Amino acid sequence: MSAFTPASEVLLRHSDDFEESRILFAGDMQDDLPARFDCAESRAHTQYYHHWQVLSRQMGERARFSLVAEQSDIADCDTLIYYWPKNKPEAQFQLMNLLSLLPVGCDIFVVGENRSGVRSAEQMLEAYAPLNKVDSARRCGLYHGRLEKQTTFDPQAYWDEYQLDGLTIKTLPGVFSRDALDTGSKLLLSTLTPHTKGKVLDVGCGAGVLATVLASHSPKVRLTLCDVSAPAVEASRATLAANGIEGEVIASNVFSDVTGRFDMIISNPPFHDGMETSLEAAQALIRGATRHLNSGGELRIVANAFLAYPKVLDETFGFHEVIAQTGRFKVYRTVMTRQAKK
């Protein structure tokens, strides 16, 4: 993460204005500008584990990963720079949290790509910190205001749930398939047969749908779930608990914090990082799976049919098969053999 995003490039146009500022960076930070920005002090709070990994290497304890920001994250900051995400409910959760902690009079900057809907920040914050656009460049908008009134924030109010085949799925803003089961996951679930046994890892678990449904008809599986998103980690834990299912849920950037080997790895891997199409996570999943599968263990993933995963699967495992498909999605299966590249 050495290259700056367009949003960070817009901020750098105004760097002279921040030299005396004590800044809290938050939101969808996709580069290390918070660690390198020239200011009196910088802190960062993120809900994304892979962003925290990058920032914490340079900022130490001044960068924190968690679902909810706390007063210690704010410290004596007098400025918020918030990177607008592509998900408006996610922005609502994060901003209401942050503005309940920051002091009245604090400078509020919101920056983001126009196509992400950053204009919505004006209406969202109108009652608390009226914003004015101060720059428009790199197809981004930069907005500024001052906090006139602290928000009230109750994280419990943001929880939601839906029912799936008699199971309760708990969700939070920013979690994939927040409102209903997505088509790709549904196709992958159709291939998971009852009486599955052994250790199963769900990578990019979201709300924990795949693992929960699998365990509901295969109670002998031993589950581990991981995701880079703090809302997803908390939602998966809540989903497992709501259905009386045991399993370990951890924050991990693909396999970064995963230990041990498994009999099956399942995933509906993301192919976006923010607004950009990115196959990096899925390719890391495929290539890294050989280090986390037992002999004879299988990797089973669902992906948009147009994505070029067959080549990576064949390069890594020596073969793959398509075990289900629709017009949009394919479920790929491959097995750990001696020929697989460890």
Side-chain angles (χ1 to χ4, degrees):
M1 272 217 250
S2 56
F4 290 132
T5 63
S8 288
E9 290 177 350
V10 172
L11 284 171
L12 285 169
R13 288 158 55 100
H14 301 265
S15 57
D16 291 348
D17 299 332
F18 293 99
E19 289 180 355
E20 304 300 321
S21 300
R22 297 187 301 276
I23 303 172
L24 173 68
F25 290 88
D28 192 14
M29 300 171 287
Q30 296 181 42
D31 57 35
D32 63 352
L33 180 69
R36 298 164 61 183
F37 205 55
D38 187 12
C39 58
E41 183 181 359
S42 63
R43 292 177 172 271
H45 179 267
T46 179
Q47 291 186 339
Y48 287 93
Y49 193 70
H50 57 315
H51 295 168
W52 172 82
Q53 286 179 312
V54 170
L55 294 171
S56 64
R57 284 196 287 269
Q58 301 173 69
M59 300 176 72
E61 293 184 355
R62 291 183 293 113
R64 200 169 75 89
F65 162 79
S66 67
L67 175 65
V68 176
E70 300 175 353
Q71 195 64 56
S72 59
D73 299 311
I74 304 298
D76 60 351
C77 289
D78 56 20
T79 302
L80 170 68
I81 293 180
Y82 181 78
Y83 286 77
W84 187 265
K86 67 177 182 179
N87 184 289
K88 186 176 177 180
E90 181 180 355
Q92 178 90 22
F93 181 100
Q94 294 172 357
L95 282 168
M96 293 304 105
N97 174 200
L98 294 165
L99 299 189
S100 72
L101 301 170
L102 286 159
V104 170
C106 178
D107 282 301
I108 308 296
F109 290 88
V110 179
V111 65
E113 294 191 45
N114 295 329
R115 59 178 175 159
S116 72
V118 66
R119 296 181 186 90
S120 301
E122 291 182 278
Q123 183 178 1
M124 185 180 293
L125 299 188
E126 185 177 10
Y128 309 100
L131 299 177
N132 294 301
K133 181 180 274 192
V134 294
D135 199 358
S136 181
R138 313 287 197 275
R139 298 180 179 176
C140 294
L142 175 63
Y143 298 81
H144 170 256
R146 282 193 174 86
L147 185 61
E148 297 178 354
K149 174 187 173 184
Q150 285 184 317
T151 61
T152 57
F153 177 71
D154 176 11
Q156 296 304 314
Y158 289 85
W159 281 94
D160 205 350
E161 65 180 52
Y162 61 90
Q163 299 296 308
L164 176 66
D165 299 333
L167 299 169
T168 299
I169 310 302
K170 307 285 282 187
T171 65
L172 280 166
V175 176
F176 182 64
S177 294
R178 180 191 175 199
D179 301 315
L181 182 66
D182 63 283
T183 306
S185 294
K186 184 177 181 180
L187 184 65
L188 177 55
L189 283 174
S190 73
T191 71
L192 298 175
T193 56
H195 313 301
T196 300
K197 298 178 182 179
K199 296 174 64 179
V200 177
L201 173 66
D202 180 357
V203 178
C205 56
V209 177
L210 296 177
T212 299
V213 173
L214 174 62
S216 71
H217 59 60
S218 298
K220 292 187 177 182
V221 295
R222 288 169 286 163
L223 296 174
T224 301
L225 295 73
C226 67
D227 205 294
V228 296
S229 159
V233 169
E234 295 300 327
S236 286
R237 286 173 179 159
T239 296
L240 292 179
N243 297 284
I245 294 171
E246 293 185 1
E248 181 184 20
V249 188
I250 62 172
S252 182
N253 180 8
V254 193
F255 296 115
S256 69
D257 288 61
V258 173
T259 57
R261 291 182 177 269
F262 300 85
D263 300 298
M264 177 183 284
I265 297 174
I266 57 176
S267 184
N268 182 353
F271 62 96
H272 287 100
D273 189 358
M275 297 297 298
E276 302 301 324
T277 298
S278 173
L279 307 185
E280 184 176 337
Q283 291 176 347
L285 165 68
I286 294 169
R287 294 193 172 103
T290 58
R291 298 190 297 274
H292 292 280
L293 281 171
N294 289 320
S295 179
E298 70 169 271
L299 172 67
R300 193 176 298 197
I301 63 173
V302 63
N304 285 62
F306 70 87
L307 296 173
Y309 295 155
K311 182 175 184 290
V312 184
L313 287 164
D314 290 345
E315 287 175 351
T316 306
F317 287 89
F319 82 103
H320 76 276
E321 57 180 328
V322 177
I323 58 175
Q325 63 182 355
T326 64
R328 289 183 57 202
F329 296 97
K330 291 182 178 180
V331 176
Y332 299 103
R333 175 184 180 273
T334 189
V335 176
M336 181 68 178
T337 64
R338 290 182 180 178
Q339 287 71 39
K341 294 180 180 179
K342 295 185 181 180

